[in-house]
Amino acid sequence: MLGQLINRVSCHALDSSRTATDESICADLLDVRRIVPNSLRAIKHGWNEYKQQTVLPASAATVFLNFNVALAPGAIMTALLMHRGTSPSIVGAFSGLCSIMGLVATFISSSLVKRVGILKAGAAGLIFQASLLSIALTVYWAGSISQTTPLLIFLASIALSRLGHMSYDVVGTQIVQTGVPASKANLIGGMEVSIASLAELVMLAMAIIANDVSHFGFLAILSVSSVAGAAWMFCRWLTNPTDEQRELFMVDPLYQVQAI
């Protein structure tokens, strides 16, 4: 919403073209009495454009990944580890390893796209993340992370899953940029960020409500389910392509093989 507000206040400086009504739009937007109607109209317009995009499942998968707030480096994971008396050096090493995985994912995603194409690379990233988070969830529910070896497996699975997460972050952005017209890129991109932020906010609100450490397993299940749902939705989108989807990604190896 703030992105759209900046764009409109600046007389659509971020758009690819200008119209004769830009000045009247800016004057109307700055009218305090019309802030609420204008905001609601912008949200409605942004949502309508967002849900009509050809690559909606790829964008929605990005949103689903933001529901994972438990099995990821962050305040909730740190609180769990400190509550269980984990050594600060292990907590620090875990956070550092997750950061390194993000850097490594940049190079892996580039290599993966060259080998199998952008669509299969996206699917591989999501499946990889869902698989490793499932392992982490299994280890947690086994109730043995109080021991050193299971704890290290638990943390290593989460850290390695960041490879899939960050790989899809890079690849997913490319997919959306391919499928969204330049004239609507700002609007749809802003809407995706807004929905993703809302998804993360909802999960953090649930974490506040379920604030006892015994509820972490419930949050972990929701996190794994969201990532698995993103992988399923994306793979289903690939296996049931529309004609417009095939046309957009006609150079991708996946559809070239199917065409043969």
Side-chain angles (χ1 to χ4, degrees), residues 1-2 4-5 8 28-29 31-47 191:
M1 289 176 62
L2 289 176
Q4 292 303 314
L5 178 64
R8 298 188 69 176
D28 182 56
L29 184 65
D31 186 351
V32 178
R33 295 168 298 179
R34 298 187 59 81
I35 287 180
V36 174
N38 287 337
S39 298
L40 294 176
R41 192 182 309 115
I43 293 172
K44 182 179 179 180
H45 176 58
W47 171 250
M191 198 66 192

Side-chain angles (χ1 to χ4, degrees), residues 1-10 14 186 190 194:
M1 289 176 62
L2 289 176
Q4 292 303 314
L5 178 64
I6 292 171
N7 189 34
R8 298 188 69 176
V9 169
S10 62
L14 299 178
N186 290 327
S194 298

Side-chain angles (χ1 to χ4, degrees), residues 52 94 99 109 113 122 142 146 190 199 204 225 227 230 244:
Q52 291 174 6
F94 167 70
S99 299
S109 60
V113 168
S146 56
L204 290 175
S225 298
V227 176
E244 187 176 3

Side-chain angles (χ1 to χ4, degrees), residues 56-214:
L56 177 59
S59 178
T62 301
V63 174
F64 271 55
L65 294 183
N66 282 269
F67 280 104
N68 175 25
V69 297
L71 298 179
I76 294 178
M77 178 58 65
T78 301
L80 172 72
L81 296 177
M82 297 305 292
H83 176 81
R84 291 181 173 271
T86 304
S87 170
S89 60
I90 294 180
V91 176
F94 167 70
S95 299
L97 182 59
C98 288
S99 299
I100 293 174
M101 291 299 104
L103 178 64
V104 174
T106 304
F107 300 100
I108 291 181
S109 60
S110 176
S111 176
L112 200 59
V113 168
K114 291 180 180 179
R115 291 190 177 188
V116 301
I118 190 171
L119 298 178
K120 284 186 177 180
L126 290 172
I127 294 173
F128 184 77
Q129 183 183 5
S131 300
L132 283 169
L133 290 184
S134 298
I135 294 174
L137 180 63
T138 302
V139 173
Y140 177 82
W141 277 107
S144 56
I145 65 169
S146 56
Q147 302 173 11
T148 303
T149 301
L151 175 64
L152 293 179
I153 295 175
F154 174 73
L155 295 179
S157 298
I158 295 174
L160 289 174
S161 74
R162 304 303 291 176
L163 280 175
H165 177 88
M166 299 306 296
S167 294
Y168 183 78
D169 186 55
V170 174
V171 173
T173 300
Q174 295 180 24
I175 294 175
V176 173
Q177 289 176 344
T178 302
V180 175
S183 59
K184 298 181 180 180
N186 290 327
L187 177 64
I188 293 177
M191 198 66 192
E192 178 185 298
V193 172
S194 298
I195 298 174
S197 298
L198 179 61
E200 185 175 5
L201 180 62
V202 169
M203 284 298 291
L204 290 175
M206 294 185 65
I208 293 174
I209 296 173
N211 54 18
D212 191 271
V213 70
S214 61

